[in-house]
Amino acid sequence: MGILIKGGKVVSAATTMLADVLVEGETIAQVAPGITANGHRVVDATGMLVLPGGIDVHTHLDMPFGGTVSADDYEWGTRAAAIGGTTTVIDFALQSMGHPMSEAFKTWRAKSEGKACIDYALHMAVTDLGPNDAWLDEVDAMVAEGISSFKIFMAYPNALMVDDATIFKLMQRTKKLGALVCVHAENGTVIDAIVQQALAAGHTGPLYHALSRPVEAEAEAVHRVVALSELAGGAKVYIVHVSNEKAMLEVKAARERGLPVQGETCMQYLVLSIEDDMGKPGFEDAKYVFTPPLREKKNQAPLWKALKDDVLQVISTDHCPFRFADQKTLGLGNFTKIPNGGPGIENRMQLAYHHGVNQGRISLERFVEISAEAPARIFGMYPRKGILAAGSDADILVWDPEAKYTITAATQNMHTDYSIFEGFQVKGNARQVFSRGELVVDSGRFVGTVGRGRYVHREVPGE
Ligand code: URP
Ligand code: ZN
Ligand code: ZN
């Protein structure tokens, strides 16, 4: 006996059609109109949208950063993700300087083991190629372990930043393997100089985190990393958290030249801004200290258009939560000590649907594409994930397009004492969430079991 999701509108990147979805075990057996009930457990989806489970490709769960550890571990983070309609996350394993990548892989598998509530995969954040580049061969070993994307930071000098030669050598290797290099693009050393000038002038409050990271520092880094990719013979590049128009235009220019460059933006850059959300009294702005920082409001429309026009392919969260009371306050009196990052894993689908589809900025099909299908394709999980089709994992959302919901820290499942989207009202929410055929969320309540989530061994994505 299977589960028959009946009477809903099934949406993919290509089309929307009235159809039923039959689930047998962990996978989808059939998607077609008029499947007969035949003893299956029927889920009435009349008036509902039936969507592939969301895929959030940019999360930092249980990550040591900025002198503390991100506030959501694998249990809390993936439970909150599921409640918000995300059924797969790709988290970052972080290589420690002086230690091999394989060690980070083991560490992150241990962090997730027995805790993940939904399926998860890993990127490897590379900080060190080792003595005489001895660890470059680990790139091949990581691909064999299912890690087909490698992250580098052009920001955070003396912590995570790597130099251009390291990026170039990594790209030469990923180019051979067909793997992807994900890039945090900001000119870290120039930003550091501006930061020192701000501190010397007595500007110590959180607003100066944003003011010392100009859009040009991001655009320059995107431009440079595109050039490095060309130098490496056309290595595949994915720019994470594109936050502003200038940086986005660098992605656009690279794509117009036919280069293998893709990118994402995050909800915070689409609906929050320096004008609306910073400049609050006291230390409140610390809640919005993430990197890249919030930008001027005028950047939002071009970013939405870039998502619509496939200049940017993905919407992610960069979920890196820190509590205000005891974590953000580490930076009282010195903004450089505020742990960088914000919570968002729970609200991505609701916000993207409401501000994207309901407001007419993107079509329903494009919403599915940027939140699920493109992430699966770009990161080597398609068609196992990202689409409702026979043979795919039964990661399914029964999405109520009329459900109204107000985002607030008081009821959220993320373990922060605030929400950057506090008071935002959305229409459209997941009514039921299935992960590999199991009902894990019912009307906003997690009903799955902790630790059921599996590691997803990703393939090297196709061209
Ligand atoms: O502020 C952020 N984004 N923290 C997480 C690390 C990163 O840069 O993605
Ligand atoms: Zn980053
Ligand atoms: Zn990040």
Side-chain angles (χ1 to χ4, degrees):
M1 194 175 104
I3 300 170
L4 183 61
I5 302 173
K6 208 164 173 41
K9 277 189 194 157
V10 175
V11 190
S12 70
T15 176
T16 299
M17 59 172 187
L18 260 180
D20 305 334
V21 180
L22 178 62
V23 176
E24 283 177 354
E26 297 193 346
T27 55
I28 295 171
Q30 198 186 355
V31 180
I35 303 176
T36 49
N38 225 2
H40 301 304
R41 179 157 75 83
V42 175
V43 175
D44 181 8
T46 310
M48 301 289 130
L49 302 173
V50 184
L51 314 177
I55 301 177
D56 188 348
V57 303
H58 189 153
T59 69
H60 301 278
L61 301 174
D62 201 358
M63 187 178 86
F65 195 48
T68 182
V69 178
S70 61
D72 280 328
D73 68 1
Y74 266 78
E75 177 181 338
W76 299 326
T78 58
R79 184 182 359 221
I83 290 169
T86 289
T87 52
T88 308
V89 297
I90 313 184
D91 200 51
F92 289 94
L94 195 58
Q95 182 198 17
S96 303
M97 291 261 191
H99 295 260
M101 295 176 212
S102 49
E103 190 179 300
F105 178 60
K106 280 196 205 108
T107 304
W108 258 262
R109 289 301 304 274
K111 283 176 192 280
S112 52
E113 202 57 45
K115 285 189 159 187
C117 300
I118 52 170
D119 291 352
Y120 65 97
L122 294 170
H123 311 275
M124 179 58 60
V126 177
T127 56
D128 190 354
L129 292 181
N132 303 317
D133 299 333
W135 295 336
L136 253 184
D137 287 341
E138 284 211 305
V139 171
D140 304 50
M142 290 300 108
V143 170
E145 294 282 10
I147 296 185
S148 53
S149 46
F150 297 82
K151 164 92 169 279
I152 53 100
F153 292 90
M154 299 171 88
Y156 308 129
N158 307 313
L160 301 172
M161 192 177 100
V162 292
D163 61 16
D164 292 351
T166 301
I167 299 171
F168 173 67
K169 285 183 271 189
L170 178 68
M171 283 177 165
Q172 285 180 315
R173 185 59 66 106
T174 56
K175 162 75 185 159
K176 266 195 203 137
L177 297 166
L180 194 61
V181 174
C182 301
V183 184
H184 175 132
E186 277 187 308
N187 187 320
T189 55
V190 169
I191 287 170
D192 211 29
I194 303 172
V195 164
Q196 296 316 320
Q197 288 165 7
L199 290 175
H203 301 310
T204 58
L207 178 63
Y208 283 86
H209 169 81
L211 299 183
S212 54
R213 307 186 88 90
V215 292
E216 289 77 12
E218 187 178 337
E220 183 279 329
V222 176
H223 188 87
R224 181 161 31 112
V225 86
V226 168
L228 292 173
S229 145
E230 279 195 280
L231 272 170
K236 280 189 260 181
V237 174
Y238 177 89
I239 312 293
V240 302
H241 50 43
V242 175
S243 71
N244 67 84
E245 183 178 20
K246 274 195 177 160
M248 176 275 287
L249 288 175
E250 293 291 342
V251 175
K252 185 167 188 263
R255 290 176 62 77
E256 282 170 356
R257 289 170 55 216
L259 300 173
V261 177
Q262 296 176 298
E264 66 177 25
T265 188
C266 312
M267 258 348 284
Q268 52 270 33
Y269 305 116
L270 292 163
V271 299
L272 306 179
S273 65
I274 199 155
E275 296 97 316
D276 288 351
D277 301 287
M278 299 206 74
K280 295 195 171 71
F283 194 62
E284 285 292 297
D285 284 354
K287 295 176 178 173
Y288 300 88
V289 167
F290 34 75
T291 306
L294 284 182
R295 302 301 192 182
E296 289 178 78
K297 214 176 167 68
K298 65 179 184 194
N299 291 283
Q300 292 174 353
L303 288 178
W304 277 112
K305 186 165 172 359
L307 279 172
K308 177 170 177 272
D309 295 347
D310 201 37
V311 172
L312 300 176
Q313 288 68 41
V314 172
I315 192 148
S316 74
T317 58
D318 193 9
H319 178 74
C320 189
F322 297 104
R323 293 175 300 276
F324 182 71
D326 62 322
Q327 293 188 297
K328 289 287 184 180
T329 45
L330 292 170
L332 267 169
N334 182 345
F335 69 85
T336 67
K337 304 265 189 279
I338 302 170
N340 286 200
I345 203 167
E346 190 168 342
N347 305 122
R348 179 184 70 121
M349 299 292 281
Q350 304 152 350
L351 286 166
Y353 181 85
H354 183 78
H355 289 275
V357 182
N358 289 348
Q359 310 289 322
R361 294 181 173 110
I362 52 172
S363 68
L364 178 58
E365 292 78 13
R366 185 65 181 158
F367 165 70
V368 165
E369 189 162 24
I370 63 174
S371 65
E373 186 168 323
R377 283 185 193 276
I378 293 170
F379 290 95
M381 297 186 285
Y382 186 88
R384 178 170 163 196
K385 307 278 189 196
I387 185 156
L388 303 181
S392 298
D393 281 358
D395 295 347
I396 305 171
L397 311 183
V398 178
W399 186 268
D400 184 347
E402 298 300 324
K404 292 197 174 130
Y405 183 73
T406 302
I407 298 171
T408 170
T411 56
Q412 74 184 3
N413 296 276
M414 301 178 288
H415 275 215
T416 47
D417 47 2
Y418 71 97
S419 167
I420 56 176
F421 305 112
E422 184 67 37
F424 271 65
Q425 297 185 336
V426 291
K427 194 170 80 160
N429 205 356
R431 189 186 76 180
Q432 277 132 338
V433 179
F434 295 85
S435 166
R436 274 182 291 100
E438 185 185 335
L439 181 69
V440 293
V441 174
D442 198 5
S443 305
R445 231 168 30 89
F446 183 71
V447 294
T449 46
V450 174
R452 57 167 300 287
R454 281 197 207 133
Y455 174 69
V456 181
H457 185 289
R458 292 186 291 122
E459 304 301 322
V460 164
E463 290 309 312

